[in-house]
């Protein structure tokens, strides 16, 4: 009966986690999945989250269904974080926002919505991008193309090629953008480059879809949202998917949001309704526990301040690891420039290692990274960094 079912070879990122678990070597190092580990190599429970969960457990709360679009305080928190609390679009209530099953769920609901209401649109993602971007949009029925982005020669952006390509797209085409901490390269556009890209989007009447999964890990909460806020300031209608998985360290709770900035409050109401209907058809309503945690952390001044501080601690530890790795490799492999480690931003570094070198790291040293050469810098700590630097130097010889 199921012989025609095709074999699934596994996900290049999540499959790596299984392989890592099975590895019995005690000195193994996980630099695969985009997850933040602390200096002790543990997945942290943020103090702001601990405080809220302690309150919530005493006494345990009933669990009714949440609204299809999530808790009102959660939705408003997404808007304040992404667009700024004083943003004109927020105040004018022209943003439709739903709570979503992580950033992934936001992408899928957004894709379903666009596919239904703008069936002629094609979707373009950066080359390269997070692999699941392609799967999610293809899964919703789209043809997905790629725009030039990463330039291995400069370890920067092929900006002229990128803008030329965008100028050739058709009106209404969707352009998926990473506002900060580009996955997998760690290479971001500068504010001036964002301005230029947004001008093209505006002139060509393209539809920007911004996926922000690492807000706070690049520069800071506001600077990381530069592209989003500039798009809104220009009066563009923009889709924004956001994830709290990383910046609240709540991966398994599936917390994220989808916001659609509309030209008017009336249109935002229509969009909000259709987003709810999309959720109803797919999974009915979002989970409750994570929703309440986000709502409480974000809407309490003291907890919010504590949270931002905790995100910046994570950001700063990653930066320190970047510097250490750069220094260690520069010493071990003279004549080679490793300054890209500190130029790249966010959780990831595109190391430039080829699949054979990545394979050697895994089999010979138990050091796991994604086969495209992406390393999650947040998996490094003072205990394992010399070991990793030695292993990398060895495969680079
Ligand atoms: N967008 C981007 C750019 C992203 O890197 C991730 C996750 C997501 C969305 C999904 O977020 P979530 O809230 O977990 O649904 N990326 C890491 C984990 C994964 O592959 O699922 C990663 O790239 O390792």
């Amino acid at each position: 009966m199921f012989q025609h079912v095709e074999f699934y070879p596994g996900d290049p990122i999540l499959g790596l986690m299984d392989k890592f678990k099975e590895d019995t070597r005690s000195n193994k190092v996980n630099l695969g999945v985009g997850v933040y580990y602390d200096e002790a190599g543990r997945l942290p429970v943020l103090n702001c989250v601990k405080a809220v969960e302690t309150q919530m457990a005493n006494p345990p709360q009933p669990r009714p269904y949440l609204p299809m679009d999530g808790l009102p305080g959660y939705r408003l928190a997404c808007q304040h974080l992404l667009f700024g609390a004083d943003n004109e679009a927020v105040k004018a209530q022209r943003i439709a926002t739903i709570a979503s099953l992580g950033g992934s769920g936001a992408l899928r609901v957004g894709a379903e919505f666009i596919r239904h209401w703008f069936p002629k649109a094609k979707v373009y993602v950066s080359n390269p991008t997070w692999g699941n971007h392609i799967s999610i949009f293809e899964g919703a029925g789209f043809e997905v193309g790629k725009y030039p982005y990463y330039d291995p020669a400069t370890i920067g952006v092929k900006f002229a090629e990128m803008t030329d390509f965008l100028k050739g797209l058709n009106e209404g085409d969707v352009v998926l953008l990473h506002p900060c901490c580009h996955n997998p390269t760690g290479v971001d556009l500068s504010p001036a480059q964002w301005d230029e890209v947004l001008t093209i989007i505006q002139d060509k009447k393209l539809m920007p879809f911004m996926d922000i999964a690492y807000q706070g890990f690049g520069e800071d909460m506001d600077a990381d949202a530069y592209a989003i806020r500039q798009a809104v300031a220009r009066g563009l209608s923009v889709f924004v998917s956001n994830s709290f998985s990383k910046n609240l360290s709540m991966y398994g709770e599936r917390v994220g949001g989808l916001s659609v900035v509309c030209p008017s409050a009336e249109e935002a109401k229509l969009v909000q309704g259709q987003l709810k209907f999309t959720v109803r058809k797919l999974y009915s309503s979002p989970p409750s526990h994570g929703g309440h945690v986000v709502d409480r952390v974000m809407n309490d001044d003291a907890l919010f301040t504590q949270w931002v501080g905790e995100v910046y601690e994570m950001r700063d530890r990653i930066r320190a690891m970047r510097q250490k790795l750069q220094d260690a490799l520069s010493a071990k492999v003279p004549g080679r420039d490793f300054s890209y480690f500190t130029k790249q931003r966010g959780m990831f570094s595109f190391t430039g290692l080829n699949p054979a070198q990545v394979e050697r790291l895994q089999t010979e040293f138990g050091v796991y990274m994604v086969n495209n050469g992406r390393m999650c810098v947040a998996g490094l700590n003072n205990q394992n960094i010399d070991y990793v630097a030695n292993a990398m130097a060895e495969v680079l010889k």
Side-chain angles (χ1 to χ4, degrees), residues 49-272:
V49 171
K50 247 181 244 171
V52 165
E53 289 186 327
T54 308
Q55 285 171 16
M56 283 168 67
N58 296 308
Q61 302 296 310
R63 313 288 152 100
Y65 288 128
L66 259 43
M68 290 174 272
D69 50 1
L71 297 165
Y74 183 115
R75 294 167 36 217
L76 203 61
C78 288
Q79 294 189 358
H80 288 177
L81 199 61
L82 296 168
F83 307 103
D86 294 330
N87 193 295
E88 168 279 321
V90 174
K91 287 187 175 156
Q93 302 192 328
R94 57 183 186 86
I95 307 177
T97 298
I98 62 159
S100 64
L101 303 182
S104 308
L107 286 156
R108 180 62 191 240
V109 171
E112 291 285 334
F113 175 89
I114 299 171
R115 183 75 188 137
H116 189 87
W117 297 101
F118 302 88
K120 293 200 190 99
K122 250 192 96 170
V123 175
Y124 291 88
V125 300
S126 61
N127 186 15
T129 193
W130 181 50
N132 212 23
H133 278 151
I134 299 168
S135 307
I136 288 172
F137 279 92
E138 284 183 347
F142 283 102
E143 210 182 302
V144 179
K146 290 179 182 169
Y147 59 83
Y149 188 77
Y150 181 68
D151 185 357
T154 61
I155 314 190
V157 179
K158 283 180 179 164
F159 192 65
E161 281 184 51
M162 175 185 179
T163 50
D164 280 351
F165 187 92
L166 294 180
K167 284 176 192 159
L169 297 184
N170 294 317
E171 182 176 334
D173 280 342
V174 178
V175 184
L176 190 84
L177 299 153
H178 304 221
C180 68
C181 309
H182 184 270
N183 179 5
T185 66
V187 175
D188 286 338
L189 297 182
S190 67
Q193 288 176 322
W194 275 118
D195 293 344
E196 219 175 309
V197 165
L198 290 172
T199 299
I200 298 168
I201 286 176
Q202 197 160 18
D203 290 350
K204 291 280 162 187
K205 299 190 168 61
L206 306 175
M207 200 185 284
F209 197 131
M210 302 203 179
D211 182 31
I212 181 160
Y214 304 91
Q215 191 174 0
F217 284 94
E219 286 303 310
D220 59 49
M221 291 291 173
D222 294 319
D224 288 355
Y226 178 84
I228 297 169
R229 295 180 189 180
Q230 283 302 310
V232 177
R234 285 164 177 254
L236 293 173
S237 293
V238 50
F239 287 74
V240 184
S241 50
N242 76 283
S243 170
F244 292 119
S245 299
K246 335 265 169 175
N247 56 19
L248 268 162
S249 192
M250 298 233 296
Y251 305 85
E253 296 295 347
R254 313 311 295 135
V255 273
L258 173 69
S259 296
V260 187
V261 182
C262 305
S264 66
E266 292 76 47
E267 283 161 279
K269 278 201 188 110
L270 298 175
V271 173
Q272 186 78 24

Side-chain angles (χ1 to χ4, degrees), residues 287-396:
S288 144
H289 180 82
H292 281 291
V293 174
V294 172
D295 184 12
R296 293 210 199 177
V297 169
M298 300 283 159
N299 289 304
D300 177 294
D301 287 345
L303 288 171
F304 180 81
T305 305
Q306 184 180 18
W307 171 61
V308 173
E310 294 191 89
V311 177
Y312 293 167
E313 266 175 46
M314 294 193 274
R315 175 200 65 192
D316 292 345
R317 201 190 76 76
I318 295 173
R319 284 185 181 165
M321 289 300 117
R322 288 183 176 283
Q323 187 68 55
K324 279 208 159 180
L325 187 61
Q326 177 176 318
D327 294 346
L329 276 169
S330 304
K332 286 178 211 297
V333 190
R336 203 179 151 122
D337 182 11
F338 290 103
S339 61
Y340 59 85
F341 279 115
T342 48
K343 287 186 193 135
Q344 295 162 337
R345 290 152 25 117
M347 267 194 199
F348 302 119
S349 173
F350 225 33
T351 59
L353 295 187
N354 62 38
Q357 291 168 324
V358 171
E359 175 71 25
R360 268 194 73 196
L361 276 182
Q362 199 182 111
T363 49
E364 289 177 37
F365 301 96
V367 174
Y368 287 71
M369 55 177 82
V370 184
N371 67 1
N372 60 8
R374 186 193 86 174
M375 166 200 284
C376 177
V377 185
L380 294 172
N381 57 50
N382 283 306
Q383 275 68 54
N384 66 23
I385 195 157
D386 285 333
Y387 178 72
V388 170
N390 277 328
M392 285 181 72
E394 204 57 43
V395 304
L396 280 167

